[in-house]
Amino acid sequence: MFPDVIQDVEARLAERLAALRAERGWSLEELASRSGISRSTLSRLERGEISPTAALLGRLCAVYERTMSRLLAEVESEPPQVVTAAGQPVWHDEESGFVRRSVSPPHPGLRGEVVEGRLRAGADIAYDTPPVPGLEQHIWVLEGAVEITADGRTHRVEAGDCLRFRLWGASRFRCPGPDPVRYAIFVVLP
């Protein structure tokens, strides 16, 4: 993506996060209490002064009961039925080494989506809660290997393997290396 496109998406994301809080009538203090994210960080996120990490965005998605894809789709225009490679939104979290491509973004009337994830060797991302309790996921590893912990059980998933589950609790994605991992996630909302 071009820098001006990334900045535009980040600005719309900041606006959407502020709107979601306002829709619920929550103060920054209330959202901080619900999310475990400091009031100052939330304020800076909503003003677009900082970009959220995958972990922060995951916590906010859980509080707002949205998948990350749904939240990001809310700041994008309506996706067409055919999503070209060039039209697939890509989000980078440089801090964690996570790259997320929305291959088949959420679409009105559809319950599923497809996401491509890439983690650099050594990357480790933990989510406290699922964005939507009972979220169904099918994770198919395309290259490399990843350790996925879902609801307290850790699985090593290698190229060609598929892990499937409904997520009710915490989760963690860790790329043990030495190579990066690339995987597809098929998400089905309950």
Side-chain angles (χ1 to χ4, degrees), residues 6-190:
I6 292 171
Q7 288 176 342
D8 187 43
V9 169
E10 288 179 353
R12 289 194 312 264
L13 178 59
E15 290 172 9
R16 184 62 184 138
L17 290 172
L20 285 168
R21 183 175 57 80
E23 288 168 12
R24 285 157 177 77
W26 295 342
S27 65
L28 283 171
E29 289 81 13
E30 174 72 15
L31 181 56
S33 173
R34 290 174 180 265
S35 68
I37 301 169
S38 75
R39 182 189 179 285
S40 62
T41 298
L42 290 168
S43 177
R44 293 182 68 204
L45 284 171
E46 289 183 4
R47 290 193 315 261
E49 293 176 2
I50 60 172
S51 296
T53 63
L56 284 178
L57 206 51
R59 287 168 134 179
L60 290 171
C61 285
V63 168
Y64 292 130
E65 298 179 325
R66 284 170 161 65
T67 63
M68 196 176 300
S69 294
R70 179 174 172 202
L71 177 63
L72 293 174
E74 290 173 1
V75 301
E76 295 290 329
S77 60
E78 177 84 14
Q81 286 187 320
V82 175
V83 183
T84 63
Q88 297 169 1
V90 178
W91 182 69
H92 300 263
D93 178 1
E94 296 300 328
E95 182 178 312
S96 69
F98 177 53
V99 178
R100 180 186 192 290
R101 175 182 299 274
S102 190
V103 177
S104 176
H107 190 280
L110 299 177
R111 293 184 15 208
E113 62 186 273
V114 180
V115 173
E116 175 193 23
R118 288 182 277 148
L119 290 172
R120 68 175 173 237
D124 192 343
I125 301 172
Y127 301 97
D128 296 332
T129 59
V132 177
L135 186 68
E136 182 179 340
Q137 295 186 25
H138 301 253
I139 303 173
W140 179 29
V141 175
L142 303 169
E143 298 171 8
V146 63
E147 290 177 1
I148 299 171
T149 303
D151 297 323
R153 294 190 60 203
T154 301
H155 308 271
R156 181 175 170 89
V157 190
E158 299 180 355
D161 296 345
C162 182
L163 174 65
R164 55 192 182 168
F165 55 90
R166 285 193 181 272
L167 186 62
W168 297 98
S171 62
R172 178 180 176 195
F173 288 69
R174 190 175 83 77
C175 180
D179 299 314
V181 64
R182 187 170 71 91
Y183 52 90
I185 303 178
F186 303 90
V187 179
V188 182
L189 293 174

